[in-house]
Amino acid sequence: MSLADPSKTLDQTPMHWRQILVVVICIALNALDGFDVLAISFAAPGIAREWSIDPAVLGVVLSMELIGMAAGSVLLGNVADRIGRRPTILLCLAVMAVGMLASALATSVTMLSATRLFTGLGIGGMLSATSAMVAEYSNARRRGLNVSLNIAGYSTGAIFGGLVASYLLESSGEWRSVFVFGGIATLVMLPLAAVFVPESVQSLAARRPAGALARINRTLGKLGHEHLSHLPELGAGDVGQSILTLFSKRFAAVTVLLTIAYFAQIMLFYFVMKWVPKIVADMGFADADAGRVLVAANVGNLAAAVLIGLASQRFTVRPLVIAAMVAGSAAIAVFGTGLETIATISISVAVAAFFINAGVVGLYPILAQTFPANLRGSGIGFVIGVGRGGSAVGPVIAGGLFASGAGLLTVALVMGAGGLVAATMLVLLPRALRAAPPTAPG
């Protein structure tokens, strides 16, 4: 192995416990993301009653942090390439904590929408930065698994946070308590990340800030590797850090296909995550029961993320993801037929969520492998940022359909079409990769 290339050193050697710790902390940070995103879903029935807002307006409120997430993914994903993964992660944590606590103080729809938009900026940037960090601290053998487990942190946070949220709603009857809990949990993680998450050596080698060699050697030493005598040479295939690079001949077709795929699949995912509690509550069940159905959905999400991660070590991921996307579209149609008991509703939603989230999570290893280190934050950030337009559009479309009198089955079929569109984009992906210049990754 070449000691002049830290990325090859980390790729080809077993993971040190400090690398594993970085991955674990990033997973925990995405668990916060999962709870912070879905806090509004757990709180939605209480918000709708207190402020007497109709489904169309509620759909807009449910989408506000998703709009912020889209902006945060694009803008802060590029920031992570320019100033580093670590400072971006710490900035995002601070934004999330302030946004969650401010949401608990909201006194109107307008104020709540603004605080959720602000919170979303931090959540979006966090996912981009941690996805890049996990990919760069993993060796080649574990990268696909670790990237998938990082995304699984989202579902883990939603499950355990959802259980806490259901308890808080039952014991206090106050939807604001959900945001207070999320804000405090986020604040707790800030010093842990500051102490135990060092900057990525690949990011340092690509950006070359002052003192980069010394910082890289300090990290390599802690990981049990020899020091570098000099920074690695930048090869002819290396690219710049501008978002515009994503639309160069080398990356344009792949960027467009992956962005459309993520947009369509995440639209379906967030229809389930944002509307299920309100749909179940409208069926006549208690808010706490509606929250537990969402917890069941996230059990399905978590199982999908873990299985996709394990499968990525043995099989080609793309065909599995395509199959999951198609199955998710069919499963959400079953939920739309209208089930009568909490048990059958929970099972139906969990199965649908399993396939839908397998489609979402399976895209992340593809993204991490497609973009090089000095464009990875921008590439992942752009795809999930612009793609998250689907997460913002999905709840709004569903709210508009419900407000117009459409039944649950109609709404489920319309939203489920997103999975079919996403699968089509991945079917076309190999052709785009073959058509790219020889230096294109993949």
Side-chain angles (χ1 to χ4, degrees):
M1 95 190 47
S2 171
L3 288 177
D5 189 341
S7 64
K8 288 184 179 179
T9 299
L10 297 185
D11 260 358
Q12 299 172 16
T13 55
M15 290 181 64
H16 189 274
W17 69 265
R18 292 180 186 273
Q19 292 170 264
I20 296 172
L21 181 61
V22 170
V23 172
V24 169
I25 290 176
C26 286
I27 292 172
L29 296 178
N30 273 316
L32 283 177
D33 270 16
F35 178 79
D36 289 359
V37 170
L38 295 183
I40 189 73
S41 301
F42 294 116
I47 293 169
R49 280 194 301 272
E50 180 173 328
W51 291 338
S52 301
I53 55 180
D54 64 30
V57 175
L58 183 60
V60 173
V61 176
L62 291 175
S63 293
M64 291 310 294
E65 88 271 5
L66 302 177
I67 296 171
M69 287 165 66
S73 293
V74 175
L75 299 177
L76 295 179
N78 187 245
V79 166
D81 282 338
R82 292 182 178 275
I83 71 170
R85 318 302 190 210
R86 182 177 181 274
T88 303
I89 286 172
L90 298 179
L91 171 63
C92 291
L93 272 172
V95 170
M96 289 163 57
V98 170
M100 288 294 286
L101 295 174
S103 295
L105 301 175
T107 56
S108 67
V109 170
T110 300
M111 182 177 177
L112 182 60
S113 297
T115 59
R116 296 307 293 162
L117 179 68
F118 182 75
T119 306
L121 291 172
I123 295 172
M126 177 69 75
L127 185 55
S128 301
T130 58
S131 294
M133 183 74 87
V134 167
E136 291 161 8
Y137 264 101
S138 299
N139 61 18
R141 181 183 179 190
R142 302 297 184 191
R143 183 166 292 120
L145 173 62
N146 289 343
V147 170
S148 296
L149 290 177
N150 183 52
I151 306 305
Y154 177 101
S155 302
T156 304
I159 291 169
F160 290 105
L163 294 173
V164 173
S166 295
Y167 170 77
L168 292 172
L169 290 170
E170 266 188 328
S171 60
S172 70
E174 176 53 69
W175 58 264
R176 290 176 178 83
S177 62
V178 176
F179 295 111
V180 172
F181 171 78
I184 293 173
T186 304
L187 283 174
V188 168
M189 287 302 300
L190 189 54
L192 291 177
V195 172
F196 294 111
V197 179
E199 182 56 278
S200 156
V201 295
Q202 289 188 38
S203 176
L204 288 168
R207 293 185 293 110
R208 300 174 183 264
L213 181 60
R215 294 174 65 185
I216 290 172
N217 282 334
R218 186 161 55 248
T219 298
L220 289 177
K222 291 180 179 179
L223 299 180
H225 300 301
E226 294 183 36
H227 287 188
L228 306 181
S229 59
H230 58 275
L231 289 172
E233 296 292 331
L234 291 176
D238 288 310
V239 294
Q241 297 170 338
S242 170
I243 291 178
L244 295 178
T245 307
L246 296 171
F247 295 96
S248 64
K249 186 177 180 180
R250 178 177 172 182
F251 293 107
V254 172
T255 298
V256 170
L257 287 175
L258 289 174
T259 301
I260 294 173
Y262 195 91
F263 184 104
Q265 187 69 13
I266 210 71
M267 181 177 71
L268 174 56
F269 178 85
Y270 274 107
F271 162 64
V272 176
M273 293 299 104
K274 292 295 185 179
W275 272 103
V276 157
K278 184 65 167 59
I279 291 170
V280 174
D282 287 347
M283 291 176 177
F285 296 101
D287 290 358
D289 287 333
R292 292 186 185 99
V293 173
L294 190 58
V295 170
N298 280 288
V299 171
N301 288 340
L302 178 58
V306 172
L307 288 177
I308 280 289
L310 293 172
S312 70
Q313 298 187 106
R314 297 177 61 97
F315 306 103
T316 302
V317 175
R318 188 180 63 88
L320 298 178
V321 174
I322 292 170
M325 289 171 169
V326 174
S329 296
I332 200 62
V334 173
F335 167 70
T337 59
L339 304 170
E340 296 183 354
T341 69
I342 281 291
T344 55
I345 291 170
S346 297
I347 293 171
S348 172
V349 170
V351 171
F354 174 88
F355 288 115
I356 293 168
N357 196 47
V360 173
V361 173
L363 285 168
Y364 283 86
I366 297 172
L367 292 173
Q369 294 162 9
T370 298
F371 299 108
N374 53 351
L375 194 64
R376 189 168 288 130
S378 296
I380 294 174
F382 182 87
V383 171
I384 67 177
V386 176
R388 269 193 173 133
S391 67
V393 168
V396 173
I397 291 175
L401 288 171
F402 282 129
S404 70
L408 177 58
L409 179 59
T410 299
V411 176
L413 291 173
V414 170
M415 305 310 295
L420 302 179
V421 172
T424 302
M425 296 302 102
L426 291 190
V427 169
L428 298 174
L429 185 61
R431 180 180 299 177
L433 290 169
R434 288 194 299 270
T439 53

